[in-house]
Amino acid sequence: MKQTANIKKRLLRLLVLVQCLLVTSVAVAQNISVKGRITDENNSPLAGASVTTKTTNTGTSSDAQGNFSISVLKGTVLVVTAVNYSSKEIKITDASELAVSLTSVATMLTDVVVVGYGTQRKSDVTGAVARVNLEAMGNAPNTNIGQFLQGTVPGLNVGLSTFAGGTPPISIRGQVTLQGNQNVLIIVDGIQYNGSLSSINPDDIASIDILKDASSTAVYGAQGANGVILITSRKGKYNQKSRVTFSSAYTTQKPTVKLRPLNREEYVEQFKDAFYNLAFMGPGFTTPNPAFNVAAVVDPTMSNPTRTSLLPNSYDWWGEGTNTGSIGEYNLSFSGGGDKFSYLLGGGLVN
């Protein structure tokens, strides 16, 4: 009986060993060696693309030529991924060589700030950066960017232009030098701009950022010591149909305060009050003095050379200098783009 039990145990061990060998041989028989090449939509190889199994997350990556090799079971689903490209899933049914093409996807950037040599997220910028709210002033009749900046950002001081088409004086945080350069640095689309701000069409501006602290010198050097104004222009969009935009504005100008200076008669009358002791006779000084000559006390340009009589000059300088002014502005732009390019062509006329 004891010998029979030993024989049964040996047979059972042998049966288990044979079963394990059969299972292993079946698993090995189902393994498939898969090779392939990963490219983008332009058929350029993608290096470093990830090739993993969907269930176990084990896999490999592509080499510099986009080639990869992996051994998987039949029926396994491979997931091919790459940075900035859409992923793709492939079910393996045989050992054929794969050709995988991935499509690039646009990376969405939210709330970015333009810096010297690229862009950064606003949350990553530690310096004092302020953005001008252009939407709030979209309907304002401003023909010069300097007008957009007046009173919009704390610490930004914008004066008045002293001549038509000129750039108004701009300073950030006040005057930082006594006799040196006090001009702020203006950067338009990453390029230093030395022209007049009136030459830039306000409708072509996408954003205006103000760098107010000294950290801007780390990017722009000593020229950024007075602050930096970053102007980003509008651009066409990819895969957009041609778009025509036209805008116009007509503005009138007149003084907000009715300040009327003295006319000729009122001005001459003031000289009588200034020389009261000569213009009136005593003792009460209420009777006009017929011998008083106003031409002798007024400015020499108002009388003849002998100072005996007033010149007949009477001109309304205030009325001529405060005539109602008008500004006509007309802007036209064309924008659009295809798969690989975009364009925006704009022009403006300001009279």
Side-chain angles (χ1 to χ4, degrees), residues 140-313:
N142 296 327
T143 59
N144 193 313
I145 300 176
Q147 295 173 296
F148 277 109
L149 301 178
Q150 290 176 346
T152 57
V153 177
L156 178 65
N157 305 310
V158 182
L160 297 176
S161 178
T162 56
F163 60 94
T167 299
I170 301 175
S171 63
I172 299 176
R173 307 183 317 274
Q175 296 182 352
V176 296
T177 179
L178 296 178
Q179 297 180 348
N181 181 18
Q182 299 180 5
N183 298 328
V184 299
L185 180 63
I186 301 176
I187 304 295
V188 178
D189 292 336
I191 301 175
Q192 182 175 347
Y193 182 76
N194 296 320
S196 173
L197 290 179
S198 63
S199 301
I200 302 177
N201 185 2
D203 284 351
D204 291 340
I205 298 177
S207 64
I208 300 178
D209 296 296
I210 311 296
L211 305 184
K212 297 190 292 183
D213 61 2
S215 63
S216 58
T217 59
V219 179
Y220 299 101
Q223 294 185 92
N226 298 319
V228 182
I229 298 178
L230 303 175
I231 301 175
T232 304
S233 64
R234 298 184 186 275
K235 297 176 177 60
K237 298 181 180 180
Y238 291 99
N239 297 320
Q240 183 188 56
K241 294 182 179 180
S242 297
R243 181 180 179 183
V244 180
T245 304
F246 176 77
S247 63
S248 63
Y250 183 80
T251 309
T252 60
Q253 290 180 320
K254 60 182 179 180
T256 57
V257 179
K258 295 182 179 180
L259 177 63
R260 186 187 67 83
L262 301 177
N263 56 30
R264 174 187 170 88
E265 289 73 17
E266 293 170 339
Y267 182 74
V268 172
E269 192 67 24
Q270 277 198 333
F271 282 96
K272 294 182 180 179
D273 296 336
F275 296 90
Y276 192 83
N277 59 332
L278 299 178
F280 296 89
M281 295 186 300
F285 291 97
T286 57
T287 304
N289 184 6
F292 176 69
N293 183 14
V294 179
V297 294
V298 298
D299 187 89
T301 58
M302 298 182 61
S303 64
N304 58 7
T306 59
R307 305 295 293 266
T308 56
S309 62
L310 295 174
L311 297 177
N313 297 335

